[in-house]
Amino acid sequence: MTPEALLANWTEARSALGIAAPDEALCLELQRRYAEPQRRYHTMQHLGECLAWFEREKALAERPGEVALALWFHDAIYDVHAHDNEARSADWARNALRHAGANEDAAERIHALVMATRHDAVPEGHDAELLIDIDLSILGAEPARFAEYERQVHAEYAFVPDEVRRPRRRAILQRFLDRQAIYATPRMHALLEARARINLQKSIAAS
């Protein structure tokens, strides 16, 4: 997405929560976080792809502004050595939105949406399903983009020895493949499910 499209998405999402000021400084700070040098996959490319999917699918959201802001914050904090990135990102989102004057219920729902990106539980509610489908859209990407994604993830965790990293990666991908359905929303399921399963099977077989 272009800088103009990113700012438009950000401003519209905050407006949907009743926040009049766009706070371009926070928008730029989030973009700076996604450009940190330790990142290879969880970058502005990933955020842009997620927001592009959101723009296509936002008519399906019950509270589109909340889904958009959850996407902005879902990987805002990303330390490859930490295990609490989602919790810290969710806390940042909630605190920033409270400070901006968002409704307390909305801030809590966005916190819950960001926490859902841990992928360790079945998402609760339609907006959580849509958010997770968007976050996992890369699994159903065209083969060239999926191969790039694989390289990016391995580069991001290159500090982990191959004999540890590769089995862990296989196990993560297998858990997605073992699901009855990877995608919960009907349209994204129709568009991505079959290709995601092919991508995952090939990746597991090659690793």
Side-chain angles (χ1 to χ4, degrees):
M1 296 179 76
T2 66
E4 294 78 14
L6 287 168
L7 182 57
N9 175 282
W10 171 258
T11 303
E12 181 181 348
R14 286 171 65 88
S15 178
L17 268 67
I19 304 171
D23 194 351
E24 293 183 30
L26 179 55
C27 181
L28 291 172
E29 172 62 14
L30 286 166
Q31 292 179 60
R32 188 190 70 77
R33 293 297 185 102
Y34 281 93
E36 290 169 336
Q38 79 276 13
R39 299 173 185 246
R40 294 294 183 272
Y41 170 64
H42 298 87
T43 63
M44 281 302 301
Q45 181 185 20
H46 170 57
L47 177 62
E49 288 170 342
C50 285
L51 293 175
W53 268 107
F54 168 78
E55 290 296 336
R56 290 191 290 267
E57 303 296 319
K58 66 181 178 181
L60 301 177
E62 295 173 352
R63 298 181 177 92
E66 295 179 13
V67 176
L69 288 168
L71 287 169
W72 273 96
F73 278 97
H74 81 286
D75 287 321
I77 295 175
Y78 199 76
D79 178 353
V80 294
H81 299 282
H83 300 283
D84 62 347
N85 291 313
E86 294 89 354
R88 292 164 65 198
S89 297
D91 288 347
W92 184 10
R94 181 171 57 194
N95 293 338
L97 293 168
R98 283 172 172 168
H99 180 74
N103 178 279
E104 180 69 21
D105 290 343
E108 289 294 341
R109 285 193 295 267
I110 290 169
H111 183 278
L113 286 173
V114 175
M115 290 298 288
T117 64
R118 291 177 299 177
H119 304 299
D120 59 357
V122 176
E124 296 183 7
H126 183 74
D127 281 354
E129 291 177 345
L130 178 60
L131 176 85
I132 299 310
D133 280 4
I134 289 172
D135 191 29
L136 295 179
S137 60
I138 189 64
L139 300 181
E142 295 291 344
R145 175 64 184 111
F146 184 80
E148 180 187 33
Y149 154 71
E150 291 271 86
R151 292 192 297 271
Q152 290 169 335
V153 170
H154 283 292
E156 211 165 60
Y157 287 90
F159 64 91
V160 180
D162 267 7
E163 62 271 20
V164 176
R165 184 178 73 252
R166 292 187 178 278
R168 286 181 180 174
R169 181 68 181 159
R170 280 198 304 272
I172 290 169
L173 298 184
Q174 188 65 52
R175 285 199 293 272
F176 286 119
L177 193 58
D178 289 344
R179 292 182 179 183
Q180 185 174 355
I182 298 169
Y183 300 99
T185 56
R187 206 172 95 86
M188 293 191 72
H189 185 278
L191 289 170
L192 299 177
E193 184 81 17
R195 190 160 62 231
R197 292 190 174 278
I198 291 170
N199 286 339
L200 291 171
Q201 288 166 352
K202 287 183 176 178
S203 178
I204 291 168
S207 61

